[in-house]
Amino acid sequence: MQPVSLSSPLLVLDQPVLADATLMFEFCQDPVFERFLTVPWPYNASDAETFISRYIPGAWKSDEEYTWALRSPDSPNLMGIICLRVPSGSIGFWLGARHRGNGFIPEAQRLVADWAFAEGIVNAIHWECLVGNIPSSRVARKAGFTFTGEGPSLAAYRDGSHPMSWQGWLHADDDRSPKDGWPEEVLVP
């Protein structure tokens, strides 16, 4: 698969470039990332450079994972990352702390889901986060995912384990409204 760009009035999703490595490194110093994400820890500048220059192009070429940078239509600066792993249909994302709370991740999820469903890449998208990752859960619910329960994560954590995670699915024919059935702490603002 050749990389594609996706956009809306709120966001542009395009390919991360080496010029993004400095911001990626900065954002990945967030202690929230250490707790909840599978990125290497400690996260080094070379991790960002390798991810951008080697992993992302190779994963697109092999149809293993499609990764986009999130950007404002008004700025070339990196705000975050979203990816879709195939064939599992697993979605992953992160957003730099200063960009949170503006609806960027639900919009990015919508753009990726619409593209993946329209292109027949997958007919369902899987979301998961470590138990207790309330922000990730809230954006998945807002994007229309149905909560399916708690179980060992499908994706390996950085230590190779599969810790308990909250999981959900979004099917191509689902309506995208928030669903009931999520853990109570996700519903409480």
Side-chain angles (χ1 to χ4, degrees), residues 87-111:
S88 69
S90 180
I91 198 164
F93 49 85
W94 59 259
L95 195 62
R98 66 178 170 251
H99 301 292
R100 296 177 189 151
N102 296 299
F104 295 132
I105 292 295
E107 178 68 359
Q109 289 175 328
R110 184 192 68 76
L111 288 168

Side-chain angles (χ1 to χ4, degrees), residues 12-153:
V12 172
L13 303 184
D14 63 12
Q15 291 308 286
V17 295
L18 276 176
D20 297 324
T22 300
L23 277 174
M24 184 176 290
F25 169 72
E26 175 188 321
F27 292 148
C28 288
Q29 302 310 301
D30 189 332
V32 170
F33 287 25
E34 177 185 15
R35 181 171 178 206
F36 290 121
L37 300 185
T38 60
V39 298
W41 198 266
Y43 195 86
N44 299 308
S46 62
D47 294 319
E49 293 166 3
T50 299
F51 182 65
I52 292 169
S53 66
R54 293 186 187 160
Y55 181 80
I56 293 172
W60 272 94
K61 187 176 181 180
S62 68
D63 289 324
E64 178 182 324
E65 182 176 305
Y66 308 134
T67 301
W68 293 268
L70 279 70
R71 304 181 201 282
S72 163
D74 302 326
S75 172
N77 294 333
L78 176 75
M79 297 189 307
I81 293 288
I82 190 165
C83 68
L84 181 68
R85 295 172 194 96
V86 286
S88 69
S90 180
I91 198 164
F93 49 85
W94 59 259
L95 195 62
R98 66 178 170 251
H99 301 292
R100 296 177 189 151
N102 296 299
F104 295 132
I105 292 295
E107 178 68 359
Q109 289 175 328
R110 184 192 68 76
L111 288 168
V112 170
D114 287 352
W115 171 79
F117 294 151
E119 295 297 317
I121 306 292
V122 295
N123 56 17
I125 296 176
H126 177 258
W127 160 87
E128 69 181 359
C129 73
L130 294 183
V131 171
N133 188 340
I134 302 298
S136 180
S137 304
R138 287 182 176 155
V139 297
R141 181 177 181 270
K142 185 175 182 179
F145 282 79
T146 299
F147 183 74
T148 57
E150 185 176 311
S153 65

